[in-house]
Amino acid sequence: MKEPLQRWQNPTVYTYQQTIRQKIIGYDLIYDLMTNMLHNHPCTDRMLIVGAGGGQELLTLGRTFPATKFTAVDTSSPMLQLAEQQIGQLHVPLDVEWHATDLRSLKMDEPFDIATCHLVLHFIEDLHVKKALLKKIADSLKDGAVLFVSSINADLTALTFKHQLRHWQSSMLQNGISQNDWQRFEQSFGMTTHPIKFETLVDLLQEVGFTTVIPYFKSHMIDALIATKEEAKEVFKC
């Protein structure tokens, strides 16, 4: 999971690809299902990858859509370097424009056909900033374009939250996460990890212009959704 900037500026970023799969059961399905669904999308020429550090989006999408022009945005330069290493596995040059910055400060020359924002939102504390990021993504898309988004979603005040954590702990420990690493993860909630309720996420997406929001993956507190921007009056074209 893509955590606050200070963590992603040190050498531990290079263990990311191993540990993320130990934490999120079914991690690769988030990206494989996304790629499968995009086979039916009318246009995949330009894709915006928000939180591109680590490179899983670029690696998975690049295999299937090597002719796509990607714009990869992440606030962490080391994580973007890791992403570059990842796509080196493809042995096919991808057209990637790299931006080590906050998406909200980036100017877009033309709208995108697809956007992704995986495992980013829960590291933003302020609800208004979460909404501003989603609004920037929506404004960067064509009408009829889609956003794939995933995040930890939970109500920290709910009686069921501790039960959810206990079940997730069991999965992580069985998947090779140490007890110390689990404790650090558990203690991050309310400190560096700031989930919102699933219903709140859906509301935010609809408020910024995504008229259709459909979940397509769930693992413990991780949800992945596909959100379609308000449909164009004419048929979506490249």
Side-chain angles (χ1 to χ4, degrees), residues 17 21 24-40 47 55-65 86 90 116 118-119 148 150 216-217 224 226:
Q17 288 298 334
R21 287 171 171 80
I24 301 178
I25 314 305
Y27 170 78
D28 290 294
L29 273 175
I30 297 174
Y31 303 92
D32 292 341
L33 291 172
M34 171 183 70
T35 304
N36 290 344
M37 286 185 278
L38 282 176
H39 280 290
N40 291 323
M47 297 191 194
Q56 192 60 43
E57 297 94 323
L58 291 167
L59 182 62
T60 309
L61 293 169
R63 286 192 182 109
T64 305
F65 306 103
Q86 279 285 97
L90 296 174
T116 73
H118 287 300
L119 307 174
F148 292 88
S150 62
Y216 73 89
F217 172 91
I226 177 173

Side-chain angles (χ1 to χ4, degrees), residues 25 30 153 164 198 215-224:
I25 314 305
I30 297 174
N153 299 299
Q164 289 177 290
F198 176 81
Y216 73 89
F217 172 91
K218 184 171 182 62
S219 177
H220 293 292
M221 298 181 203
I222 300 285
D223 296 286

